[in-house]
Amino acid sequence: MPPLVFPSPSLSTKLLPPLHHSTIPSATHSRRPHLSGDPPRTVVITSGKGGVGKTTATANLSASLARLGFRVTSIDADAGLRNLDLLLGLENRVHFTASDVFSGECRLDQALIRDRRFNNLHLLCLSKPRSKLPLSFGSKTITYLVDALKTLEPDNPVQFVLIDCPAGVDAGFVTAIAPADEAILVTTPDITALRDADRVAGLLECDGIKDIKIVVNRVRADLVRGEDMMSPLDVQEMLGLPLLGVIPEDAEVIRSTNRGSPLVLNDPPAPAGIAFEQAAWRLVEGDTMTAVALEEADRQPKKGFGWFSFFGR
Ligand code: ADP
Ligand code: MG
């Protein structure tokens, strides 16, 4: 099993320009990502198994996309275990939810919570914490909701709708995937998460979602090198799906969660934050990555991709 290249923090700091909380990416990157596909793009972040990093991925991709200047609405569709608001540091601002919109208590724009850092990023929770979604809130309701979001501001339309999906494959999952055209399947490199991810991939395809990409999260280079953990390449081959990103295990993830500030905003950048940022670029550009073995990376001359692709190619 070939080992992978992972950036050490010192390497990543050396290779990367500092990240600023700017919505003008050209100040920190040599170019802007080219938006592929027809906006608004509706992407569900799902997994099957719980605790693999869906909400972490949603928060970080949302913040990255917003910083790149895209207009983003993130929907917390994990109604019972809502915590996207915490990861974005917006928990004190959630006064209204989508359920309140449908019960006539508020307008849709009142349920959209604007991020403190980026005025082009909004959060929409489906229901209050620990409260179940009304039974009537199913696939048709959420599809109607997302359609309404897309037309809410015709002069400044949303470009990405990211949906944080609940674990499992029951009603909450079916509801969350209904409006999506694309899916990001988050998995950890272990056999239980992979089996669930494989099942979910099949269900997504049955639902007509053909554009499915994987994010392999919590990868430990030392364990992969010692052949004690599956490599992202193994994961990719087992699932037979394109790879959007490989995220290392990183203690900074938990720190940023507790701070309510997505890791991609860390300065200096943390390895997992850099990897999420790269995944966001690939998402925008409709690109994928191939995991690179250490020996191969050492052999290959640098192709001038710079910081953008040092996790793979
Ligand atoms: P899910 O939404 O799939 O249930 P979460 O995003 O809530 O998963 O993540 C579950 C736990 O794993 C959280 O405590 C989170 O901080 C931690 N975690 C997620 N990704 C990483 C990572 N790359 N490194 C370290 N901890 C992580
Ligand atoms: Mg979650």
Side-chain angles (χ1 to χ4, degrees):
M1 195 187 299
L4 286 165
V5 179
F6 289 97
S8 67
S10 57
L11 174 67
S12 55
T13 323
K14 220 184 294 171
L15 286 175
L16 286 173
L19 300 175
H20 302 296
H21 295 198
S22 163
T23 52
I24 307 163
S26 52
T28 52
H29 308 294
S30 55
R31 65 183 183 92
R32 277 181 70 104
H34 174 74
L35 179 58
S36 80
D38 294 327
R41 288 173 53 188
T42 308
V43 187
V44 64
I45 291 94
T46 182
S47 69
K49 191 177 175 206
V52 296
K54 293 178 293 297
T55 305
T56 304
T58 309
N60 280 287
L61 292 174
S62 300
S64 272
L65 294 173
R67 181 169 49 186
L68 289 168
F70 296 104
R71 204 167 163 77
V72 184
T73 298
S74 303
I75 300 181
D76 190 344
D78 194 352
L81 299 171
R82 190 185 96 182
N83 52 22
L84 184 57
D85 55 337
L86 283 172
L87 268 70
L88 291 171
L90 297 175
E91 69 277 14
N92 294 330
R93 294 186 167 203
V94 185
H95 303 302
F96 293 117
T97 67
S99 297
D100 299 322
V101 177
F102 284 102
S103 63
E105 279 179 54
C106 69
R107 297 186 313 266
L108 177 55
D109 61 297
Q110 291 175 305
L112 286 177
I113 303 133
R114 203 176 67 203
D115 186 79
R116 280 180 284 115
R117 296 145 292 214
F118 305 107
N119 59 14
N120 50 333
L121 171 60
H122 291 86
L123 170 70
L124 177 64
C125 297
L126 291 195
S127 65
K128 296 244 156 56
R130 288 176 294 282
S131 68
K132 285 199 168 170
L133 269 182
L135 281 178
S136 56
F137 202 120
S139 302
K140 280 194 181 147
T141 323
I142 195 170
T143 306
Y144 177 79
L145 185 72
V146 170
D147 284 346
L149 279 176
K150 291 175 180 173
T151 51
L152 194 62
E153 281 190 61
D155 297 338
N156 197 7
V158 66
Q159 289 162 298
F160 281 94
V161 178
L162 300 190
I163 304 172
D164 183 19
C165 184
V169 291
D170 55 15
F173 166 81
V174 175
T175 300
I177 68 168
D181 311 310
E182 329 173 18
I184 296 174
L185 194 52
V186 182
T187 186
T188 44
D190 61 88
I191 202 70
T192 53
L194 274 177
R195 187 154 75 177
D196 289 357
D198 192 41
R199 169 110 199 273
V200 162
L203 294 172
L204 291 169
E205 278 168 16
C206 285
D207 200 65
I209 303 175
K210 306 282 181 234
D211 186 346
I212 309 170
K213 298 190 181 89
I214 344 167
V215 165
V216 189
N217 190 23
R218 307 195 74 156
V219 178
R220 283 186 50 182
D222 54 337
L223 295 186
V224 173
R225 285 202 172 92
E227 302 198 358
D228 292 318
M229 180 178 266
M230 270 182 268
S231 75
L233 207 56
D234 297 331
V235 173
Q236 186 181 11
E237 281 169 4
M238 284 177 80
L239 291 176
L241 292 167
L243 196 55
L244 184 72
V246 177
I247 318 295
E249 171 80 23
D250 188 342
E252 283 301 320
V253 171
I254 190 86
R255 286 198 196 103
S256 69
T257 299
N258 291 337
R259 274 201 309 269
S261 172
L263 191 61
V264 288
L265 305 181
N266 270 26
D267 190 3
I274 296 162
F276 274 124
E277 176 93 357
Q278 291 173 327
W281 274 71
R282 292 187 197 103
L283 179 67
V284 171
E285 301 204 317
D287 198 8
T288 56
M289 68 175 283
T290 308
V292 175
L294 188 60
E295 299 88 344
E296 192 186 334
D298 288 344
R299 269 198 314 271
Q300 277 187 351
K302 292 274 170 279
K303 287 184 185 160
F305 291 114
W307 68 273
F308 187 62
S309 63
F310 73 101
F311 234 123
R313 63 178 158 76

